[in-house]
Amino acid sequence: MKFIHLTDTHVVGTGLLYGQDPAKRLSCAVASINAEHGDADFVIVTGDMTHWGDADAYARFATEIAKLKIPIHLMVGNHDDTPSLMHTFPDLPRDENGFVQQAIDTAHGRFLLLDTKAPKGHAGAYCEARRDWLARQLELPGPVYLFMHHPPFEVGIKAMDAIMMRDAEAFHDVIAPHKHSILNLFFGHVHRAIWGTWRGISYSCMRGLNHQVALDLDTPAEQIGGNFEPPAYGVVLLQDDQVTVHLHDFADKSHSFPL
Ligand SMILES: [Fe+2]
């Protein structure tokens, strides 16, 4: 099984963002997915579809994403606005409390798409109501793949660590009894390619499409350094006993050649 991990498209309604056009970059990513990975089962977007959460931006996002030839599943990030998102995508599944989280059953296990958006601010949250939903999902047969916008742990970049998901210990308490069945935790938010393990759970994060967070481990938390390292999306391969995450530099135009 193959699926695509796309994140942090940051589309704006009009004009540019940091001098770049996020909708144009999304359009290039969609064209690449259709041309190179049209056989994938679906695309999961781990949040921050728009930069300002306005209706015009969601409309532009919807126009570009509609060109995808495979299904898409959306999640919310700190830059999203849930009511505005729901206005554009009224059929987007939500839990019984209205949080944008859902379970997707596949031939290789259950995909749990979590809503880590806090009511205010850029840090993430995972309140008791959401934890109750997750606990019920984890009681069902696995294996399980977790998808979140905010990571529930630090990654070493101070400005991003300051806006990681709060409630991390309570979240960990919920997932701890099920670690054996959690095969990977996919997240966005940090706009970088990052891999590792957290308390025994493997994780991966993808670059954004418009702008990236600089690999700066020294600057104080008050400043987020950005740059224009190339955009990318993840190509994820699942087998019965393995998860493989490829980072695809889809904008790279260098020619392949025999090695
Ligand atoms: Fe983002």
Side-chain angles (χ1 to χ4, degrees):
M1 176 182 165
K2 175 165 80 172
F3 73 92
I4 303 299
H5 179 196
L6 185 71
T7 196
D8 292 86
T9 52
H10 282 258
V11 171
V12 291
T14 56
L16 304 176
L17 179 64
Y18 307 128
Q20 303 288 334
D21 183 349
K24 187 175 179 184
R25 287 176 168 237
L26 174 58
S27 176
C28 292
V30 167
S32 166
I33 293 168
N34 284 339
E36 301 172 75
H37 300 290
D39 59 338
D41 282 47
F42 46 71
V43 176
I44 293 183
V45 185
T46 49
D48 280 5
M49 277 80 72
T50 66
H51 192 69
W52 302 113
D54 55 299
D56 288 349
Y58 284 111
R60 272 186 100 185
F61 175 87
T63 297
E64 296 304 330
I65 216 70
K67 298 171 187 170
L68 262 179
K69 295 176 181 173
I70 56 177
I72 185 156
H73 301 294
L74 305 179
M75 299 168 54
V76 286
N78 48 298
H79 282 273
D80 288 305
D81 178 81
T82 301
S84 191
L85 170 69
M86 296 308 301
H87 182 75
T88 306
F89 297 96
D91 297 328
L92 192 59
R94 291 196 280 177
D95 71 10
E96 68 274 17
N97 296 304
F99 291 107
V100 185
Q101 43 185 20
Q102 61 170 313
I104 301 168
D105 286 310
T106 77
H108 284 271
R110 309 193 78 221
F111 285 44
L112 299 182
L113 281 53
L114 312 185
D115 181 338
T116 62
K117 182 173 170 56
K120 286 184 179 176
H122 286 295
Y126 208 66
C127 60
E128 188 173 2
R130 283 174 274 191
R131 297 197 299 271
D132 286 347
W133 178 89
L134 177 58
R136 293 200 304 275
Q137 299 303 321
L138 290 170
E139 291 300 329
L140 299 171
V144 167
Y145 308 84
L146 296 179
F147 295 81
M148 313 170 68
H149 181 71
H150 301 78
F153 43 76
E154 297 181 349
V155 297
I157 299 171
K158 295 179 178 65
M160 299 310 292
D161 293 343
I163 54 171
M164 61 176 259
M165 192 191 87
R166 308 275 159 74
D167 311 313
E169 290 305 323
F171 172 77
H172 182 260
D173 288 345
V174 172
I175 65 172
H178 307 279
K179 281 184 184 176
H180 60 282
S181 63
I182 299 172
L183 299 190
N184 197 50
L185 189 167
F186 299 85
F187 63 96
H189 191 49
V190 191
H191 294 233
R192 295 204 62 78
I194 307 169
W195 293 268
T197 63
W198 177 56
R199 300 180 182 177
I201 298 173
S202 69
Y203 63 74
S204 58
C205 177
M206 273 297 133
R207 288 184 199 149
L209 286 196
N210 188 69
H211 53 279
Q212 315 304 343
V213 170
L215 181 58
D216 179 348
L217 305 179
D218 302 317
T219 301
E222 296 73 37
Q223 302 170 36
I224 299 179
N227 65 26
F228 289 115
E229 290 173 31
Y233 59 77
V235 179
V236 186
L237 306 177
L238 301 183
Q239 296 168 271
D240 288 341
D241 59 353
Q242 190 173 351
V243 179
T244 303
V245 183
H246 292 279
L247 179 148
H248 186 23
D249 260 317
F250 65 89
D252 178 81
K253 299 304 177 194
S254 63
H255 295 290
S256 63
F257 51 87
L259 293 175

